[in-house]
Amino acid sequence: MDLPLLWFLLITVLWTGYLVLEGFDFGVGMLIKPFARNEKERRVLLRTIGPVWDGNEVWLLTAGGATFAAFPEWYATMFSGFYLPLLLILLALIVRVCAIEWRAKINDPAWRNRWDWAHTVGSWVPAVLWGVAFANLVQGTEIEVIDGRHQLVGGFFSLLTPFTLLGGVMTAVVFLTHGAVFVALKTGGEVRERAGKLAARLSVASLVVAGIWAVWAQLAFSAHTLTWVPLAVAALALVGVVVATRARREGWAFTLNAVAIVAAVVLIFGVMYPNVMPSSIDPAYSLSIDAAASSTATLQVMSVVALLLVPVVLAYQGWTYWVFRKRITTDQIGDHEGLLPTEGRPLEPTAH
C-alpha cells in the first residue's frame, strides 16, 4: 500500500472516531433544553458527557492536522471553499465550550438558562453542518483548476442542494438518536426511562432518513460496487438500533448506532475514492489522492509519529471511559452550584 492511500485511510479512521464520539456529545447537547424538565435533569445530562467531551474533540483537531500535513492541497481547497460553513461550525463549537464550562459558575436560573440555550444551539449547528459538508464531498463541488490550483468557483449557496440538505438532516437525526441512547445508557431512574422511549422513536426516523440518503448517495454518485457493503452494514445496524431500543438494551443500541456511523463514514470516503475533492463541473478537475498528497518523506515521518502516539491516545481515552462508566441519577445531584449573583461583587460604600 502506498503512503498517500495509507493516509487517506488513516484520515477516514480519524473522522470516524470524531463522528462516533462527538456524535453523542452533540446529541446530548441537542437534548439539554427540549428533553430535560428541570435543573437536576439538565445537570445529569451534562455529567454524562462532562468527563469525555473535550477528549472527543481531540479527534477533530487530529483529523484537521493530519489533513493539513498529509494532503495540503486538499486542506487548502476544502477549507477555502467551505470557509463559511466551517466558520459557523467553529463558532458553534466555541460557544458550546463556553456553555459547558461557564453555566455552573453562577447560581442564577437566568444565567444557566442562557448557557443551556447556547449549548443546545451550539450542538445543533455542527450536527447539521457536518452532514452538509460531507454530503458535498460525496456529490462533488464546483471545482475548477485556475493557475494550477484547485479552487471552488461556486459560492456558499452552491453547497446547498437537496442532497446536501438531506445530509444535514441525516446527521442531525443520527446524532440525536446517538445522544438519546447514550443518555439512557449513562443514567438511571426516570431520566433513563424517558431517554429510552425517546431513543426508540428517534431510531425509526434515523433509519428512514439515513437509508434514503445512503441509497441516493450510492446510486447517484458512487462508481464502486463495493460501497454497497458499508451501506448494507449501516442499514442492518440501524435496524438493530430500532430493535434494541424497543427492548431497552441500551448497550447494544449504542454499539449498533456507532457501527452505523462507522459504516456511513466508510461509505462517504469510499464514494470519494480515488479523489479527495470531486468536481461536479468536470471529473478532470477533481483533486485526486496522489495529486493532493505531501512528499514521501513527510508521509514517512508522519507514519512513524502516528505509530508511536495513536496507541497512547487510544489507551488513555479507553481508560477515561472505563473510570467514568457508572450511571448517574438525579439523586446524586446537589441543590445548588456556583456563586450567588451577589457574591464576589464589591461592597457598596456606606454613608457616614
Side-chain angles (χ1 to χ4, degrees):
M1 180 184 299
D2 61 356
L3 288 175
L5 178 57
L6 172 64
W7 273 97
F8 179 77
L9 295 176
L10 289 176
I11 289 173
T12 304
V13 172
L14 293 173
W15 277 111
T16 299
Y18 173 70
L19 295 174
V20 168
L21 298 177
E22 192 77 329
F24 68 76
D25 285 347
F26 289 146
V28 173
M30 294 158 79
L31 292 170
I32 290 289
K33 288 302 291 184
F35 175 80
R37 292 176 175 174
N38 53 54
E39 171 61 15
K40 285 193 174 183
E41 288 191 0
R42 282 187 283 274
R43 287 168 63 187
V44 165
L45 262 62
L46 286 167
R47 288 195 180 188
T48 63
I49 62 173
V52 298
W53 68 267
D54 48 355
N56 294 342
E57 287 195 339
V58 170
W59 289 83
L60 174 61
L61 300 176
T62 308
T67 304
F68 173 78
F71 299 98
E73 191 165 354
W74 181 12
Y75 182 93
T77 305
M78 180 169 62
F79 276 69
S80 61
F82 292 1
Y83 182 84
L84 183 54
L86 292 178
L87 176 62
L88 293 174
I89 289 173
L90 178 61
L91 291 175
L93 294 178
I94 293 172
V95 169
R96 177 170 160 266
V97 170
C98 294
I100 294 173
E101 295 291 344
W102 293 353
R103 84 175 298 275
K105 300 299 184 184
I106 298 178
N107 185 16
D108 177 60
W111 169 271
R112 291 193 294 262
N113 184 60
R114 286 193 292 269
W115 286 119
D116 288 338
W117 275 113
H119 188 175
T120 300
V121 174
S123 298
W124 275 93
V125 170
V128 172
L129 290 183
W130 279 129
V132 174
F134 279 106
N136 270 282
L137 294 179
V138 170
Q139 76 166 12
T141 53
E142 295 182 7
I143 292 177
E144 291 185 2
V145 178
I146 301 174
D147 296 329
R149 300 283 184 181
H150 290 79
Q151 297 184 24
L152 182 68
V153 296
F156 171 74
F157 291 103
S158 70
L159 303 176
L160 304 179
T161 67
F163 177 76
T164 61
L165 292 175
L166 182 61
V169 175
M170 182 266 295
T171 50
V173 175
V174 169
F175 290 163
L176 198 57
T177 305
H178 209 34
V181 172
F182 186 74
V183 170
L185 179 66
K186 287 288 293 177
T187 61
E190 184 185 352
V191 175
R192 177 189 179 187
E193 183 65 23
R194 286 174 32 232
K197 291 179 180 179
L198 177 62
R201 294 194 296 269
L202 289 172
S203 64
V204 177
S206 181
L207 172 63
V208 172
V209 176
I212 293 172
W213 184 87
V215 171
W216 189 350
Q218 175 65 30
L219 294 177
F221 305 109
S222 179
H224 313 294
T225 305
L226 283 177
T227 47
W228 280 104
V229 175
L231 191 156
V233 171
L236 291 174
L238 290 175
V239 171
V241 174
V242 174
V243 175
T245 52
R246 274 155 176 69
R248 296 297 189 268
R249 301 295 297 271
E250 295 99 346
W252 277 107
F254 183 78
T255 301
L256 289 169
N257 209 68
V259 169
I261 295 173
V262 172
V265 177
V266 173
L267 171 64
I268 289 168
F269 281 80
V271 172
M272 290 165 55
Y273 180 83
N275 300 309
V276 292
M277 291 287 291
S279 172
S280 61
I281 296 176
D282 187 338
Y285 294 146
S286 297
L287 179 60
S288 68
I289 294 173
D290 290 333
S294 291
S295 66
T296 300
T298 299
L299 296 179
Q300 287 174 339
V301 172
M302 291 178 62
S303 300
V304 173
V305 172
L307 182 64
L308 294 175
L309 296 184
V310 169
V312 176
V313 174
L314 292 176
Y316 174 77
Q317 276 210 296
W319 176 79
T320 302
Y321 279 94
W322 175 255
V323 169
F324 295 101
R325 66 189 181 277
K326 293 184 179 180
R327 292 183 183 271
I328 304 166
T329 65
T330 54
D331 296 335
Q332 300 168 350
I333 305 297
D335 291 331
H336 303 290
E337 62 177 352
L339 297 172
L340 292 173
T342 56
E343 292 182 26
R345 293 181 182 175
L347 295 175
E348 296 291 336
T350 56
H352 295 286

